[in-house]
Amino acid sequence: MNISIVIPLLNEEESLNELHRWIASVMQSNGFLYELIFIDDGSTDDSWKIIEKLSSENPEVKGIRFQKNYGKSQALHAGFAMAKGEVIITMDADLQDNPEEIPELYKMVTEDGFDLVSGWKKKRYDSVLSKNLPSKLFNYAARKTSGVKLHDFNCGLKAYQKDVIKTIEVTGEMHRYIPVLAKNAGFSNISEKPVLHQARKYGTTKFGAERFIRGFLDLITIWFLSRFGKRPMHLFGAWGAFMLFVGFCFALFLGIDKLFINPSARLITDRPEFFIALVAMVLGSQFFLAGFLGELILRSKKESQNYIIKETVNS
């Protein structure tokens, strides 16, 4: 099979039939063998009924239905687990991503040898203040923090070599940082392609301004995980040793001063250096404890699936 197209969705009943016809037309005109995987992330409209109807009429259409809304990362995780294609394409279901881009994305992975190709929406049809400007700031911070030189981390239209999606673990809210996860896993041949972005035709966006706040918090998380996720003691131990050293130096200074330099001076417990030494040593011990706990948790961690699949079709 050439291509698996993975599409997470939430309440997109108006666009699904049109999106399927568009994708099918592109696939057939290029002679691709493909599968189309819809992941219904807890929709409350008729999205699942439409997916069931499409799958009964078209064997290449597959569906996964979540018990409730778990989020885009969990939907992609489930879709990646089902995907069997040589190249995996992800896109949104709101018709803002253009299926006509798929053949070129496929070529960049299979012929040009890229592990991952991310879409870049150079011209966006979204609100400047609520989406465009925050997105530019977010992408700038993501580039500087992760070292992955992409203009648009948030673009849902991406192409992956199969080994990438079978290796990385997409959980929490980390779908924005799949290129970073791929790089950390050793897939460094990452590129981007300018893609057409279209105005939303039906419904309203499912993402509010709060996603950028969560995005920046996730950015800090993935920075930490990429550097210290396998060895938390390297971070906490270093800070612990530094704080203990500072505390020891202040305590040593106080002891020498009291015993040999100025024995008749005020009590050690009345001096600010005493409290600096005490706080530094307590913090240092806590940092060491956090590092030990992190190592123990890491070694006892078991893989778990944090979503419930209610039903599937054509799986």
Side-chain angles (χ1 to χ4, degrees):
M1 184 180 295
N2 302 121
I3 297 176
S4 294
I5 303 171
V6 177
I7 303 180
L9 62 104
L10 175 64
N11 296 333
E12 297 287 358
E13 61 181 357
E14 302 98 337
S15 62
L16 289 179
N17 284 307
E18 183 175 342
L19 178 62
H20 171 258
R21 288 193 297 270
W22 197 357
I23 291 175
S25 175
V26 172
M27 295 295 102
Q28 291 164 10
S29 63
N30 287 272
F32 290 131
L33 293 175
Y34 75 101
E35 62 180 355
L36 178 55
I37 305 172
F38 289 110
I39 304 96
D40 183 355
D41 188 20
S43 295
T44 56
D45 62 2
D46 288 332
S47 293
W48 182 248
K49 291 181 180 178
I50 295 172
I51 293 170
E52 286 184 312
K53 185 174 184 296
L54 289 173
S55 65
S56 66
E57 298 171 351
N58 308 277
E60 70 275 0
V61 175
K62 302 178 181 180
I64 299 173
R65 186 185 187 188
F66 280 178
Q67 180 71 25
K68 65 173 187 176
N69 178 243
Y70 289 101
K72 189 173 183 179
S73 292
Q74 281 61 244
L76 288 174
H77 185 279
F80 289 164
M82 180 183 283
K84 299 175 182 176
E86 177 187 5
V87 174
I88 288 78
I89 304 288
T90 60
M91 60 189 303
D92 294 333
D94 54 12
L95 296 175
Q96 291 192 276
D97 293 332
N98 193 329
E100 302 289 346
E101 304 283 357
I102 292 176
E104 183 61 27
L105 291 170
Y106 176 80
K107 179 182 176 182
M108 292 179 73
V109 174
T110 56
E111 297 184 15
D112 298 337
F114 291 110
D115 297 316
L116 187 158
V117 182
S118 179
W120 172 17
K121 295 175 286 190
K122 272 190 172 183
K123 184 177 181 180
R124 297 175 61 109
Y125 292 92
D126 295 318
S127 169
V128 174
L129 291 179
S130 66
K131 295 193 76 172
N132 286 10
L133 183 58
S135 181
K136 289 182 182 297
L137 294 173
F138 165 79
N139 285 311
Y140 173 80
R143 283 195 299 273
K144 293 298 182 182
T145 304
S146 68
V148 179
K149 304 303 181 184
L150 296 179
H151 289 87
D152 193 355
F153 284 81
N154 270 324
C155 182
L157 186 57
K158 291 181 172 69
Y160 308 87
Q161 190 250 105
K162 184 179 181 179
D163 288 346
V164 176
I165 62 104
K166 297 300 182 182
T167 301
I168 61 174
E169 189 78 11
V170 187
T171 58
E173 292 285 329
M174 293 300 176
H175 59 272
R176 303 175 183 88
Y177 302 110
I178 292 180
V180 183
L181 296 174
K183 179 187 175 185
N184 292 341
F187 299 99
S188 57
N189 197 7
I190 297 172
S191 185
E192 65 183 351
K193 177 186 182 300
V195 297
L196 293 175
H197 183 241
Q198 301 167 138
R200 175 178 272 274
K201 190 172 182 179
Y202 304 107
T204 57
T205 181
K206 310 302 186 298
F207 301 100
E210 71 277 0
R211 71 170 179 158
F212 293 107
I213 298 174
R214 296 198 301 267
F216 281 112
L217 295 176
D218 290 338
L219 186 59
I220 297 172
T221 300
I222 203 167
W223 172 84
F224 171 79
L225 292 176
S226 64
R227 291 173 180 260
F228 307 106
K230 299 297 183 183
R231 289 289 183 269
M233 194 60 179
H234 287 187
L235 174 65
F236 294 109
W239 276 104
F242 173 74
M243 296 304 293
L244 286 172
F245 176 75
V246 170
F248 175 78
C249 289
F250 274 101
L252 182 65
F253 165 75
L254 287 172
I256 294 174
D257 183 66
K258 187 64 176 177
L259 291 174
F260 303 109
I261 300 175
N262 200 359
S264 60
R266 57 183 172 168
L267 293 174
I268 288 178
T269 53
D270 291 336
R271 301 177 63 171
E273 293 91 343
F274 169 77
F275 295 99
I276 294 175
L278 181 63
V279 170
M281 287 186 173
V282 170
L283 287 177
S285 300
Q286 290 180 333
F287 274 124
F288 264 112
L289 181 60
F292 283 128
L293 289 175
E295 294 283 346
L296 289 173
I297 292 170
L298 186 66
R299 281 158 177 71
S300 62
K301 177 187 174 186
K302 294 182 179 179
E303 297 298 328
S304 61
Q305 181 173 290
N306 53 355
Y307 54 84
I308 300 173
I309 295 176
K310 187 174 182 179
E311 56 185 311
T312 63
V313 290
N314 282 352
S315 59

